[in-house]
Amino acid sequence: MAALRAVLLVLCLGCAAAAVPLVIWHGMGDSCCNPQSMGYIKKIVENKIPGIYVLSLKIGSNLIQDMENSFFMNVNDQVREVCSQLAKDPHLKGGYNAMGFSQGGQFLRAVAQRCPSPPMLNLISVGGQHQGSVYGFPRCPGESSHICDWIRKTLDLGAYTQAVQEHLVQAEYWHDPLKEEDYRKNSIFLADINQERGINETYKKNLMALNKFVMVKFLNDTMVDPPISEWFGFYKSGQAKETIPLKETSLYKEDRLGLQEMDKAGKLVFLGVKGDHLHFSEEWFYTTILPFLQ
């Protein structure tokens, strides 16, 4: 009987070890462990995938700093901090899945492109603004409206000035279709990871190493402008009315990130869900997203 228990214990441990770890990065104005957002996601994943290790990223020493840093900490510094966290975490050394919400989706893409060790296996971007967004900054989440009022004014005054780029997260993925040259020249984050100033072959190679790159677009999104940015589309250059899908962008046609090759290999997954920004049901999450984590 003791021998049987030992065998069952080994099998159980093997099952737990087989669950691929998950790394989560929250969005603007949120924190790692909010019980109504990331804490809730962590809980339901753990309930559905027994034995899984879930790391919900915290940038800063406490939840207040984590929330504030989602507005005011240079994104490149945040990505470096996360890469360091992941490299030091023994649970992740064999690889992990990543799931980012809103701006956390594009930040985790930067992690995939810049930090291949430990390896990211699948990337799920839930409402991430991959061609830049919040053009016009239409609204702001939760109780952060006073911060967002200030951010709107700051962005309108000079989104591409060095001071604003260095200290305001949303400026770093602010993509003004009426000022494309300013964006390419002065964006210190998005223009870099989207290969706007030249081709970094390492970025391309690392992103193409993903098994799947899943992009969720919210079909009634009133926060991300344009919503098609969540699928790598954007406005036609020089105007802010007509949009084009990923396949019509120079990023895809020139295959600067390897997205065309990934698409042909079946690695890109485009999902649409009815609802406003980050509004989805638990049932949708279970049936649509969970399979990519198992």
Side-chain angles (χ1 to χ4, degrees), residues 190-253:
L190 189 69
D192 176 65
I193 66 168
N194 278 5
Q195 309 272 46
E196 298 280 7
R197 292 189 288 266
I199 304 300
N200 182 326
E201 292 294 342
T202 300
Y203 282 4
K204 186 174 179 178
K205 175 185 175 183
N206 291 342
L207 189 65
M208 289 174 64
L210 290 171
N211 296 326
K212 294 288 183 183
F213 180 7
V214 181
M215 288 165 272
V216 177
K217 172 188 171 186
F218 290 90
L219 302 178
N220 310 103
D221 204 314
T222 62
M223 181 172 177
V224 175
D225 187 359
I228 200 171
S229 180
E230 296 167 17
W231 282 351
F232 262 105
F234 201 61
Y235 289 114
K236 274 190 174 181
S237 184
Q239 49 85 59
K241 291 184 178 180
E242 187 179 353
T243 60
I244 56 175
L246 168 62
K247 289 185 178 181
E248 294 181 23
T249 66
S250 58
L251 179 68
Y252 186 91
K253 290 178 178 179

Side-chain angles (χ1 to χ4, degrees), residues 135-268:
Y135 173 70
F137 216 67
R139 67 174 179 83
C140 199
E143 300 174 356
S144 306
S145 57
H146 62 291
I147 297 176
C148 293
D149 287 340
W150 178 84
I151 290 175
R152 283 190 194 92
K153 294 175 183 176
T154 303
L155 290 172
D156 287 341
L157 288 172
Y160 297 122
T161 62
Q162 183 177 354
V164 174
Q165 282 286 312
E166 291 285 348
H167 301 291
L168 184 55
V169 167
Q170 288 68 40
E172 296 176 50
Y173 59 87
W174 180 268
H175 188 172
D176 189 336
L178 306 180
K179 298 179 180 178
E180 288 282 2
E181 191 57 37
D182 286 344
Y183 157 70
R184 291 191 187 96
K185 181 179 178 181
N186 299 309
S187 169
I188 66 172
F189 174 68
L190 189 69
D192 176 65
I193 66 168
N194 278 5
Q195 309 272 46
E196 298 280 7
R197 292 189 288 266
I199 304 300
N200 182 326
E201 292 294 342
T202 300
Y203 282 4
K204 186 174 179 178
K205 175 185 175 183
N206 291 342
L207 189 65
M208 289 174 64
L210 290 171
N211 296 326
K212 294 288 183 183
F213 180 7
V214 181
M215 288 165 272
V216 177
K217 172 188 171 186
F218 290 90
L219 302 178
N220 310 103
D221 204 314
T222 62
M223 181 172 177
V224 175
D225 187 359
I228 200 171
S229 180
E230 296 167 17
W231 282 351
F232 262 105
F234 201 61
Y235 289 114
K236 274 190 174 181
S237 184
Q239 49 85 59
K241 291 184 178 180
E242 187 179 353
T243 60
I244 56 175
L246 168 62
K247 289 185 178 181
E248 294 181 23
T249 66
S250 58
L251 179 68
Y252 186 91
K253 290 178 178 179
E254 298 168 9
D255 210 16
R256 298 199 305 261
L257 267 179
L259 294 173
Q260 183 184 135
E261 193 166 337
M262 292 176 74
D263 189 24
K264 291 177 180 177
K267 290 189 171 187
L268 301 186

Side-chain angles (χ1 to χ4, degrees), residues 51-113:
I52 191 172
Y53 172 73
V54 181
L55 172 64
S56 187
L57 293 166
K58 179 174 68 175
I59 314 299
S61 59
N62 56 57
L63 301 189
I64 298 298
Q65 283 188 7
D66 189 24
M67 184 275 289
E68 291 177 343
N69 284 336
S70 74
F71 291 109
F72 302 119
M73 182 178 177
N74 185 301
V75 180
N76 295 307
D77 292 340
Q78 292 193 54
V79 171
R80 275 190 289 270
E81 163 64 21
V82 166
C83 289
S84 177
Q85 285 188 35
L86 302 186
K88 294 175 182 177
D89 192 326
H91 295 92
L92 306 178
K93 62 182 180 180
Y96 64 96
N97 292 324
M99 182 162 52
F101 293 82
S102 196
Q103 67 184 26
Q106 52 176 302
F107 298 171
L108 279 171
R109 174 163 66 86
V111 171
Q113 293 175 206

